[in-house]
Amino acid sequence: MVFRAIAVEDDREYQLITVRRRNEGVVPRVKLMGSAILVKNYQVLEAGDFVISKRQLVHGGNGCVPNDLAGSIVSNEYLVIVDSPEVSAKFWALLSKTKSMYRSYFLSSFGVDIEKLVFDVDDWSARCLFLPSAAEQRSLCALFQRLDSLITLHQRKVDKLKTVKQSLLDRMFPKEGESVPELRFAGFTDPWEQRKAGEVASMVFRAIAVEDDREYQLITVRRRNEGVVPRVKLMGSAILVKNYQVLEAGDFVISKRQLVHGGNGCVPNDLAGSIVSNEYLVIVDSPEVSAKFWALLSKTKSMYRSYFLSSFGVDIEKLVFDVDDWSARCLFLPSAAEQRSLCALFQRLDSLITLHQREVDILKNVKQGLLDKMFV
């Protein structure tokens, strides 16, 4: 453990860092002039230092300093560990991701609230741990560094595809007050047609008689346009208010209480036959607009604005969607052929995002499995 004290000068700018929770590493925090740093008991960091936040350690607040943050400073609220003949800083960072080391950190922290536990360095320093040879440390670090690189690679692809998707949503749908998008497929030149939402949205309510001795699958919709997912299975006798409707695969479902937070999506095949209350609006294919296109349109800024203006309440978390108000609002729609082309493009993008996200999840599971099996 080191403390490279630095004399903070008022007329010099300094880069401060922080450590993310969940072992997500060291990141820049803010740049400040020395005159703005009132308590000047700071230390300077070098690339590769292993840094611990004494107030965030039980939440995974630790990591190695990357090359581009060498020369940053931190207060004495941080513990800095460097390479030693017995343990490298990289291995400390790896060891800190294991359950046994987390337990050691937790037992050496004090406080009455999990959010405010403080790491006791002296208590931890007296605790015992098992260490491999320097050669085995290097092999373990190399393996997990490779896994982290693969995870980062796929995560970057996910982030890039999401950025591309958002850019296309902004450019391939008309901006507010316009009838022609900035970017279109070849062969489509006609302006989009202005229609009232209630005229083209085919809203249904397939009432179901809930039977006490039958089990039902209930669904919910995730925020941020993340779609329809299973919620819970209940016997009919446990469903007290029985004003429910049944869903079919492909239905576009809106949560009236979550719509302004992106609470909508299409019902996947494996959730056909699920039920929802009248707190949900269900829209199906019509000659003018497919359910898939409603789901896509709902990801655009113009449709979000329409949903928001047709919601009421005094708290953003409790706004309720007014279907009648929205039905009277106008929107611009392309031809059925252009709808299909747009849906196909964005479905392809979603498939690629899902593919790379699955790779990220698989690699993270592999990494956790190896951490459990390759450490004492």
Side-chain angles (χ1 to χ4, degrees):
M1 292 174 272
V2 299
F3 189 94
R4 305 185 195 94
I6 184 173
V8 176
E9 302 170 16
D10 287 350
D11 58 351
R12 181 181 164 192
E13 186 180 59
Y14 295 90
Q15 174 69 65
L16 279 68
I17 61 95
T18 189
V19 286
R20 286 178 173 165
R21 292 185 172 196
R22 297 183 294 276
N23 302 104
E24 291 184 359
V26 176
V27 293
R29 180 180 156 210
V30 67
K31 287 185 177 180
L32 292 176
M33 295 301 295
S35 56
I37 301 173
L38 304 181
V39 180
K40 300 186 187 291
N41 188 18
Y42 272 71
Q43 55 185 318
V44 66
L45 302 173
E46 295 181 1
D49 286 350
F50 176 59
V51 181
I52 281 175
S53 167
K54 297 175 187 175
R55 295 186 180 275
Q56 293 292 332
L57 184 55
V58 295
H59 304 291
N62 63 76
C64 285
V65 178
N67 293 336
D68 60 337
L69 288 177
S72 301
I73 64 172
V74 287
S75 71
N76 61 356
E77 290 292 324
Y78 291 82
L79 174 67
V80 180
I81 299 177
V82 298
D83 290 343
S84 74
E86 293 84 10
V87 193
S88 69
K90 281 185 179 179
F91 191 72
W92 278 119
L94 179 56
L95 200 59
S96 296
K97 296 180 172 77
T98 65
K99 292 176 182 177
S100 59
M101 185 55 78
Y102 173 81
R103 183 174 184 274
S104 175
Y105 288 153
F106 183 81
L107 292 174
S108 291
S109 299
F110 61 91
V112 294
D113 184 332
I114 188 66
E115 286 296 324
K116 297 177 181 178
L117 291 183
V118 178
F119 182 54
D120 185 332
V121 180
D122 293 333
D123 182 275
W124 177 72
S125 296
R127 293 186 180 275
C128 293
L129 61 149
F130 291 95
L131 292 172
S133 66
E136 191 171 0
Q137 287 180 39
R138 288 192 294 272
S139 296
L140 285 165
C141 286
L143 169 63
F144 285 93
Q145 189 171 352
R146 176 60 178 156
L147 282 171
D148 285 339
S149 296
L150 288 171
I151 290 169
T152 300
L153 176 65
H154 285 289
Q155 188 60 58
R156 282 177 181 162
K157 288 180 179 178
V158 169
D159 296 340
K160 185 175 181 179
L161 285 165
K162 285 182 176 179
T163 300
V164 169
K165 177 182 174 181
Q166 187 57 57
S167 175
L168 290 176
L169 282 169
D170 292 342
R171 299 179 66 196
M172 298 189 78
F173 286 79
K175 290 181 171 58
E176 191 71 30
E178 298 181 6
S179 62
V180 177
E182 175 188 342
L183 182 66
R184 303 183 82 174
F185 292 105
F188 296 107
T189 57
D190 293 337
W192 289 24
E193 184 181 3
Q194 188 177 40
R195 301 290 298 275
K196 286 188 176 180
E199 293 175 350
V200 292
S202 181
M203 296 172 264
V204 300
F205 190 94
R206 306 185 195 95
I208 184 173
V210 176
E211 302 170 14
D212 287 350
D213 58 351
R214 182 181 163 191
E215 186 179 59
Y216 295 90
Q217 174 69 65
L218 279 68
I219 61 96
T220 188
V221 286
R222 286 177 173 164
R223 292 187 173 196
R224 299 184 295 276
N225 302 104
E226 291 183 358
V228 176
V229 292
R231 180 181 157 207
V232 68
K233 287 184 177 181
L234 290 177
M235 294 300 295
S237 56
I239 300 173
L240 303 181
V241 179
K242 301 186 188 290
N243 189 16
Y244 273 71
Q245 55 185 318
V246 67
L247 302 173
E248 295 181 2
D251 287 350
F252 176 59
V253 180
I254 282 174
S255 167
K256 298 176 187 175
R257 296 186 179 275
Q258 294 293 332
L259 184 55
V260 296
H261 304 291
N264 64 77
C266 285
V267 177
N269 292 336
D270 60 339
L271 287 177
S274 301
I275 64 171
V276 288
S277 71
N278 60 357
E279 291 292 325
Y280 291 80
L281 173 67
V282 180
I283 297 177
V284 298
D285 290 342
S286 74
E288 294 85 3
V289 193
S290 68
K292 281 184 179 179
F293 191 73
W294 278 120
L296 178 57
L297 199 58
S298 296
K299 295 180 172 75
T300 65
K301 292 175 182 177
S302 59
M303 184 56 79
Y304 173 81
R305 184 174 183 274
S306 176
Y307 289 153
F308 184 81
L309 292 174
S310 291
S311 300
F312 63 92
V314 294
D315 185 333
I316 188 67
E317 286 296 322
K318 297 177 181 178
L319 292 181
V320 179
F321 181 54
D322 185 332
V323 180
D324 292 333
D325 182 274
W326 177 71
S327 296
R329 293 188 180 275
C330 291
L331 56 128
F332 288 95
L333 294 171
S335 65
E338 192 169 0
Q339 288 181 38
R340 288 192 294 271
S341 295
L342 286 164
C343 285
L345 170 63
F346 285 93
Q347 189 172 354
R348 176 60 178 157
L349 282 171
D350 285 338
S351 296
L352 288 171
I353 291 169
T354 300
L355 175 66
H356 288 295
Q357 188 59 58
R358 281 177 183 162
E359 290 291 337
V360 170
D361 296 339
I362 289 169
L363 286 165
K364 284 182 176 179
N365 287 336
V366 168
K367 178 181 174 181
Q368 188 56 57
L370 292 176
L371 283 169
D372 293 342
K373 292 180 179 180
M374 298 186 78
F375 286 80
V376 175

